[in-house]
Amino acid sequence: MPSDLTGQLNEAQRVAVLHEGGPLLVVAGAGTGKTLTLVSRVARLIESGVAPERILLLTFTRRAAREMLARAASLVGSSSPGTARVCGGTFHAVGNRLIRAHGRALGIRPDFTVMDQADAADLMNLIRGELGMSARDRRFPRKETLAAIYSRTVNAQLRLAEVLDTAFPWCRDEIDGIRSIFRSYIARKRRQNVIDYDDLLLYWRAMAADAIAGPRLKAMFDHLLVDEYQDTNALQADILWHMHGPAAHVTVVGDDAQAIYSFRSATVRNILDFPARFPGTRVVRLERNYRSTRPILAASNEVISRSPERHEKTLWSDRPGTQRPMLMTCLDESEQSDSVCRQVLEHRERGTALRRQAVLFRAAHHSDVLEVELARRNIPFVKYGGLKFLEAAHVKDVLALLRILDNPFDEVSWFRVLQLLEGVGPAGAGRLMEALGVRREDLSAPSPLRRLIDDPPESSTVLREQLAQLGSALADCSAAEAPAASQIERLRRFLSPIFERLYPSARERLRDLEQLEQLASRHPSRARFVTELTLDPPVSTGDLAGPPLLDEDYLVLSTIHSAKGLEWDVVHIIHAADGMIPSDMATGRPEEIEEERRLLYVGMTRARDALYVYFPLRYYRRPKGLEDAHSYAQLSRFLPESVQRLFDRRRPAVRQSEEAFVGGPFRRVPEVDSFLASLWD
């Protein structure tokens, strides 16, 4: 390993990078150089003679894999084999590649299409209607709830009854209907040759455990490396166990103190139990923090030290810092917003740009009052979250057309596309699908796409013309397999008048499709483009167009979940009250409360130089119109006296209207005094 590389590493990082043989668990605290350690280990393996293609690097975003491999390439230099041959990507993306290559051992055809989570919910909704679950006099779970129940059951490997009892108790009486929908859903997917996100993991595990395919998969890799292992679910942990084999070496990197995604079926048990599941594991702790000052780390360490079960570690830093974290007690949400704005502007005047500051909160709606105050004070902001790119209706429209070209029996895509035609609703789309033979009752029947092009169903003159236009667009795309970008350009021309009729801001939506064309030009085929876009979608259309130019500067608003992995010079955490942090929806079980503790810890460790935690004393809530106008809050249970001692405490300046109620000597009221005196005399 080059000396200039080892010179960048501290002693614990060097131990992890140079580890030889046996399982390795790197417990990497916040800001301790986790990524540098992992990419250095990849570079070291290649330099020591391991063939790059025999290294599997699993990450939680495709972008993270690309960035890590690019950094590893810069470390190994031009004298070593290229890192481009390293097999890297998300669990789902790697599963997709392996299933296409080896899935025939399980009877899986390699030309399957992948449904995203919204399409999976739509297919369940179709089945829900067919089984009569939507026309009942009792409330029955809607498609989004059904999809969430199904995914949690599969990924957490729990029985349906247990999932309903713990996470969806109001659905417990409908277990028989839910079970029927799930059985039909599985059968329908197999008949249509489509698989969903969860199948990518299920089939990968099944292949790895298979007597024929398993040995082939295990023989492909000598080293398995997993990033963010605390965010894996039970199914992913099983995949790693089956893939490691007798000769493969396993390295996992993560931080149990940052395990905050149980709502995605991730379990902290994977990282806590790793040494027990992989005997002989060497545990290396990265505790030197390169991000935060000592006072911030002292408070953060004290918060997480109260977690009853964890990998012991204490973060430390060479950055001394003079400012202790600040606990700001406010009268109410309005004063909290006022105080946040004052502190943000004060730091701006001292040289900290708005974009180097962030306001973090437990749930997206917690920033509602603050957003109004920011707008009033002309403080621009960007809020993380909102509509995902693939959830935008116009993007789903064009992807549905592309999926039909790849798989003419994709029922969900046909159902969406046919309803784009004027005068066609759900019932009409169902009749057209039946006429085209989309349900594939007869496996020898001609393709529905071929039927549409050659012999469209009998219909009215207006609908016949629209079906002809649809058939023409699809025929042009399927003829001679035009490049994916050209196919999207042809579909954009077909969709242009439809968007003008259906959607506001049609011009902007069509520009998004132009961006899709550019993205598609980088892929060798339509099928590859659709699959990769489904597995690793842009977060928003802004990801395609570049960073937003909202102003010369902007403040960041974000949920703590979305802020994980990021950092800012100044961090403001609002609503540090019980019922907010922890959320009153996540206090039913000890495991939920401990995850809420980790959530606060993650928020605190995002701060480099200054940390503010705000606690409003009063909340004004009258959801049913009968309660008192306000209620008093309690400081978060995660900030007991032992933690508060590590903060400086401040009351923001009290508004003049409140002065009679807060602070100062108690004033005499003559009327009351004379009345009381008359009672005593």
Side-chain angles (χ1 to χ4, degrees):
M1 173 169 257
S3 60
D4 59 337
L5 172 59
T6 56
Q8 299 179 44
L9 304 175
N10 62 41
E11 183 56 33
Q13 292 171 333
R14 192 175 296 111
V15 168
V17 169
L18 299 178
H19 171 73
E20 292 282 358
L24 173 64
L25 168 61
V26 181
V27 181
T32 57
K34 166 183 70 71
T35 301
L36 174 62
T37 304
L38 193 56
V39 300
S40 297
R41 181 157 177 79
V42 172
R44 184 256 171 185
L45 291 173
I46 294 174
E47 286 217 327
S48 65
V50 177
E53 61 271 17
R54 297 193 64 78
I55 299 173
L56 174 60
L57 173 63
L58 294 167
T59 63
F60 273 79
T61 66
R62 191 81 61 91
R63 180 179 299 175
R66 287 194 298 264
E67 291 176 353
M68 286 186 183
L69 294 179
R71 289 180 64 176
S74 68
L75 293 176
V76 299
S78 58
S79 60
S80 296
T83 57
R85 301 207 307 273
V86 172
C87 183
T90 65
F91 272 90
H92 294 88
V94 172
N96 172 67
R97 296 202 294 271
L98 294 177
I99 294 168
R100 290 187 191 278
H102 303 281
R104 289 190 184 277
L106 301 181
I108 303 171
R109 290 168 41 194
D111 60 343
F112 60 81
T113 55
V114 180
M115 290 192 298
D116 65 22
Q117 290 160 319
D119 289 331
D122 287 340
L123 181 54
M124 288 188 193
N125 200 40
L126 280 173
I127 298 168
R128 178 178 181 268
E130 292 169 3
L131 296 180
M133 302 298 180
S134 57
R136 302 177 55 184
D137 56 3
R138 283 176 54 86
R139 181 173 63 140
F140 192 82
R142 296 178 65 85
K143 63 178 184 178
E144 296 84 3
T145 305
L146 290 170
I149 294 171
Y150 179 86
S151 187
R152 181 167 296 201
T153 303
V154 171
N155 286 289
Q157 300 189 73
L158 298 173
R159 297 182 64 82
L160 176 59
E162 184 177 350
V163 169
L164 294 180
D165 285 340
T166 57
F168 303 89
W170 67 270
C171 302
R172 186 63 178 84
D173 291 342
E174 304 297 341
I175 187 171
D176 292 335
I178 294 171
R179 187 182 292 115
S180 298
I181 290 174
F182 289 171
R183 286 171 175 164
S184 298
Y185 171 70
I186 294 168
R188 191 77 63 88
K189 283 188 300 178
R190 291 174 179 168
R191 191 164 67 237
Q192 296 177 10
N193 195 33
V194 300
I195 66 177
D196 60 27
Y197 274 11
D198 302 322
D199 291 334
L200 292 170
L201 301 182
L202 274 175
Y203 291 145
W204 184 1
R205 184 184 65 174
M207 286 193 311
D210 183 71
I212 297 175
R216 290 204 300 263
L217 292 184
K218 293 174 184 177
M220 292 175 64
F221 305 108
D222 295 327
H223 288 271
L224 311 175
L225 300 96
V226 185
D227 188 24
E228 304 286 8
Y229 193 64
Q230 78 280 350
D231 295 334
T232 55
N233 59 44
L235 191 51
Q236 290 164 326
D238 274 0
I239 289 171
L240 187 64
W241 167 251
H242 286 296
M243 285 290 293
H244 89 282
H249 303 289
V250 179
T251 298
V252 300
V253 182
D255 182 8
D256 53 291
Q258 298 186 69
I260 58 174
Y261 293 117
S262 66
F263 65 93
R264 297 178 185 168
S265 300
T267 172
V268 71
R269 299 304 329 167
N270 285 351
I271 192 167
L272 291 176
D273 298 341
F274 185 85
R277 190 166 194 185
F278 292 81
T281 292
R282 183 177 191 175
V283 180
V284 177
R285 294 174 174 82
L286 305 186
E287 298 176 295
R288 181 179 179 180
N289 180 283
Y290 294 92
R291 175 188 300 156
S292 306
T293 62
R294 290 174 186 168
I296 292 174
L297 290 181
S300 303
N301 285 333
E302 185 64 25
V303 167
I304 203 62
S305 69
R306 294 174 168 270
S307 183
E309 189 175 10
R310 65 191 184 98
H311 286 293
E312 289 290 339
K313 63 182 178 301
T314 301
L315 299 185
W316 62 274
S317 174
D318 285 335
R319 301 187 64 219
T322 57
Q323 181 177 339
R324 299 212 308 170
M326 192 72 69
L327 180 58
M328 312 283 283
T329 302
C330 310
L331 285 171
D332 52 25
E333 288 182 88
S334 178
E335 188 175 82
Q336 175 180 255
S337 299
D338 175 77
S339 182
V340 169
C341 291
R342 288 176 184 273
Q343 295 301 326
V344 164
L345 292 175
E346 183 178 323
H347 278 282
R348 179 177 178 271
E349 290 303 311
R350 297 206 302 253
T352 304
L354 293 178
R355 63 182 173 274
R356 287 161 51 197
Q357 303 185 56
V359 181
L360 307 182
F361 33 85
R362 172 64 177 83
H365 68 274
H366 287 177
S367 66
D368 291 349
V369 176
L370 175 62
E371 291 174 39
V372 174
E373 185 66 14
L374 290 170
R376 190 182 72 82
R377 295 182 182 230
N378 193 30
I379 301 176
F381 62 88
V382 170
K383 187 172 182 179
Y384 281 41
L387 186 67
K388 304 300 184 187
F389 181 72
L390 291 191
E391 294 171 359
H394 58 295
V395 176
K396 291 189 69 64
D397 293 339
V398 72
L399 287 179
L401 287 162
L402 293 172
R403 288 195 178 105
I404 287 173
L405 289 165
D406 275 336
N407 180 3
F409 294 94
D410 188 331
E411 185 177 350
V412 172
S413 294
W414 276 111
F415 192 66
R416 183 178 191 91
V417 166
L418 291 172
Q419 289 184 78
L420 294 174
L421 307 181
E422 190 168 7
V424 177
R431 288 192 294 271
L432 288 172
M433 289 164 61
E434 186 175 351
L436 292 170
V438 173
R439 293 284 169 80
R440 202 178 196 179
E441 303 296 344
D442 180 2
L443 296 182
S444 63
S447 157
L449 180 57
R450 201 71 259 162
R451 284 188 179 182
L452 175 68
I453 295 170
D454 297 338
D455 185 23
E458 290 293 328
S459 55
S460 66
T461 303
V462 174
L463 181 55
R464 190 182 311 122
E465 182 179 345
Q466 293 183 85
L467 289 171
Q469 292 171 353
L470 172 60
S472 174
L474 294 174
D476 290 345
C477 292
S478 58
E481 278 300 312
S486 299
Q487 295 181 43
I488 294 176
E489 189 276 332
R490 176 66 181 91
L491 296 176
R492 178 166 57 84
R493 285 189 279 122
F494 165 71
L495 290 169
S496 180
I498 294 175
F499 284 7
E500 293 285 353
R501 171 171 54 85
L502 290 180
Y503 301 132
S505 307
R507 186 174 302 175
E508 288 77 6
R509 294 173 188 260
L510 289 169
R511 278 203 292 266
D512 282 345
L513 300 195
E514 293 175 6
Q515 296 290 339
L516 273 182
E517 290 175 39
Q518 295 183 21
L519 198 62
S521 65
R522 307 172 197 165
H523 293 78
S525 68
R526 177 186 64 232
R528 180 78 172 269
F529 167 66
V530 172
T531 298
E532 295 205 0
L533 190 65
T534 302
L535 293 175
D536 188 33
V539 173
S540 65
T541 54
D543 279 10
L544 297 176
L549 300 176
L550 300 180
D551 207 316
E552 62 175 11
D553 200 5
Y554 50 85
L555 180 68
V556 174
L557 307 185
S558 174
T559 63
I560 301 175
H561 285 103
S562 296
K564 184 171 174 290
L566 304 176
E567 62 181 60
W568 294 271
D569 291 352
V570 182
V571 167
H572 308 262
I573 299 177
I574 59 176
H575 294 298
D578 250 41
M580 301 296 213
I581 303 177
S583 168
D584 55 5
M585 301 295 290
T587 55
R589 294 178 294 129
E591 296 86 353
E592 293 178 316
I593 295 174
E594 287 310 308
E595 179 160 327
E596 294 291 302
R597 185 193 309 276
R598 297 192 293 267
L599 196 64
L600 177 60
Y601 171 81
V602 167
M604 294 173 65
T605 53
R606 301 309 95 197
R608 287 175 45 80
D609 302 320
L611 172 64
Y612 295 85
V613 177
Y614 299 80
F615 165 53
L617 286 168
R618 289 193 302 208
Y619 285 92
Y620 298 93
R621 297 282 190 272
R622 300 189 73 172
K624 300 178 182 177
L626 300 175
E627 291 85 350
D628 291 338
H630 71 270
S631 59
Y632 287 100
Q634 290 185 336
L635 184 64
S636 172
R637 69 189 71 181
F638 305 138
L639 298 172
E641 185 58 37
S642 63
V643 177
Q644 294 176 44
R645 286 198 297 266
L646 300 170
F647 280 77
D648 286 336
R649 304 194 64 168
R650 183 192 300 175
R651 273 200 63 86
V654 180
R655 295 190 299 269
Q656 189 170 358
S657 60
E658 302 282 358
E659 289 178 352
F661 302 94
V662 179
F666 193 89
R667 293 182 294 182
R668 295 184 58 186
V669 183
E671 293 81 359
V672 174
D673 290 346
S674 61
F675 170 73
L676 291 174
S678 69
L679 296 179
W680 315 145
D681 293 341

